[in-house]
């Protein structure tokens, strides 16, 4: 007889792979080499691998881009290096999503971060210059993400943002104190204000309730402050 599914032990070790293809992978080294994400990598929960696109260049000069057909300023990343990169990396195991970071993609938000954090293997492609050949988007990319309505000089900083938002959600990455459940946006509410010592700093006092020791009152206060903050700063979140 099979046991209740609730009693089946969850795998205590699950790891996500995020592969990132970029012309300037150096831009991505620092964001993943400190603090929470570095710890996640050391614990084996998150495996972020950077892949310089130039290793799949079309010639010995390391060419990966070319002029846009039809003219106009700016270079376009070519099909050949990108598709060779995608195929070479996919040979190790299929990706759940092949994500192209682009200002004309779907707006990245907490809900998308939550959804992507449940996947096992992600491939991110950072565009540069004028972007990548449309045929790669049509044939190989499964998801296009933008981190906001402004233009960055390349997809790398956006990839770092997306990978950070996903990585911190993986089981075991955050501890109780830093739990993602109390983040802003997890329930469409902004997080309440926080304070630390001293209780009185240049006549600015910590709200009495927070030092009262009354946990029920504190929880109520936090809930109210969350609502108040959201109404004031982001009324759009509450519909
Ligand atoms: Cl994903 N890429 C670039 N280059 N610029 C952006 C972006 C992405 N999201 C917002 N701006």
């Amino acid at each position: 007889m099979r046991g209740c599914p609730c009693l089946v032990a969850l795998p205590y070790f699950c790891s996500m792979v995020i592969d990132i293809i970029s012309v300037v992978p150096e831009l991505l080294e620092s964001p993943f080499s400190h603090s929470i994400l570095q710890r996640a990598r050391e614990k084996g929960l998150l495996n972020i691998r950077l892949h310089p696109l130039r290793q799949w260049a079309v010639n010995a000069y390391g060419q990966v881009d070319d002029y846009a057909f039809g003219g106009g300023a700016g270079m376009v990343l070519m099909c050949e290096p990108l598709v060779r990169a995608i195929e070479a990396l996919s040979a190790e195991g299929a990706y759940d999503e092949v994500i192209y970071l682009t200002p004309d993609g779907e707006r990245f938000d907490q809900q998308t971060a939550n959804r992507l954090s449940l996947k096992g293997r992600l491939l991110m492609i950072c565009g540069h210059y004028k972007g990548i050949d449309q045929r790669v988007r049509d044939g190989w990319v499964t998801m296009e993400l933008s981190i906001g309505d402004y233009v960055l000089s390349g997809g790398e900083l956006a990839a770092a943002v997306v990978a950070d938002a996903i990585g911190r959600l993986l089981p075991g990455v955050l501890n109780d104190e830093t739990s993602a459940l109390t983040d802003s946006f997890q329930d469409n509410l902004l997080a309440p204000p926080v304070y630390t010592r001293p209780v009185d700093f240049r006549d600015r006092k910590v709200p009495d309730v927070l030092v009262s020791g009354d946990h029920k009152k504190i929880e109520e206060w936090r809930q109210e402050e969350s609502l108040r903050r959201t109404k004031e700063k982001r009324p759009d979140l509450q519909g």
Side-chain angles (χ1 to χ4, degrees):
M1 199 177 79
R2 292 168 62 192
C4 165
C6 311
L7 297 178
V8 173
L10 287 165
Y12 67 95
F13 184 83
C14 54
S15 160
M16 170 181 270
V17 173
I18 301 180
D19 286 319
I20 306 179
I21 298 170
S22 163
V23 186
V24 264
E26 299 80 9
L27 271 177
L28 282 160
E29 275 161 19
S30 174
F32 306 127
S33 304
H34 304 279
S35 187
I36 288 170
L37 289 204
Q38 172 65 3
R39 203 152 19 94
R41 296 175 82 181
E42 284 166 1
K43 284 201 224 166
L45 302 170
L46 177 60
N47 188 4
I48 295 177
R49 303 184 299 193
L50 307 176
H51 305 278
L53 182 62
R54 286 198 203 283
Q55 65 189 291
W56 292 285
V58 294
N59 55 34
Y61 302 107
Q63 187 184 356
V64 292
D65 59 355
D66 211 333
Y67 297 99
F69 279 122
M75 305 294 275
V76 176
L77 290 181
M78 304 166 79
C79 289
E80 182 78 26
L82 284 169
V83 171
R84 283 218 299 247
I86 295 167
E87 286 176 346
L89 295 171
S90 300
E92 263 187 47
Y95 288 102
D96 297 302
E97 298 286 356
V98 176
I99 302 169
Y100 174 46
L101 285 312
T102 174
D104 60 13
E106 171 196 335
R107 178 82 67 87
F108 181 66
D109 60 12
Q110 190 62 49
Q111 206 187 324
T112 309
N114 293 349
R115 201 150 37 84
L116 288 175
S117 75
L118 302 173
K119 310 276 187 184
R121 287 173 62 82
L122 300 176
L123 178 59
M124 295 191 192
I125 299 170
C126 303
H128 243 265
Y129 320 112
K130 276 288 150 198
I132 69 176
D133 192 298
Q134 182 60 39
R135 290 167 291 186
V136 179
R137 299 173 68 163
D138 294 341
W140 285 268
V141 168
T142 61
M143 186 176 206
E144 300 187 328
L145 294 178
S146 161
I147 62 162
D149 290 341
Y150 40 80
V151 177
L152 303 169
S153 56
E156 285 76 13
L157 296 184
V161 165
V162 172
D164 184 299
I166 294 170
R168 63 189 290 285
L169 295 173
L170 301 177
V173 170
L174 298 182
N175 52 35
D176 275 354
E177 283 103 86
T178 53
S179 166
L181 294 175
T182 55
D183 287 343
S184 283
F185 304 112
Q186 277 302 7
D187 43 12
N188 266 357
L189 284 176
L190 300 182
V194 292
Y195 299 84
T196 186
R197 289 186 290 185
V199 165
D200 188 335
F201 179 72
R202 299 186 185 173
D203 274 342
R204 293 166 185 269
K205 297 214 174 56
V206 173
D208 287 339
V209 60
L210 293 181
V211 290
S212 68
D214 185 334
H215 294 292
K216 187 161 169 284
K217 276 235 176 70
I218 292 172
E219 203 33 60
E220 282 166 11
W221 181 86
R222 286 185 170 149
Q223 191 66 28
E224 281 162 22
E225 286 296 309
S226 274
L227 273 165
R228 196 181 55 73
R229 264 197 173 181
T230 310
K231 276 202 189 107
E232 183 184 310
K233 296 170 191 269
R234 293 293 306 276
D236 57 296
L237 288 178
Q238 287 298 285

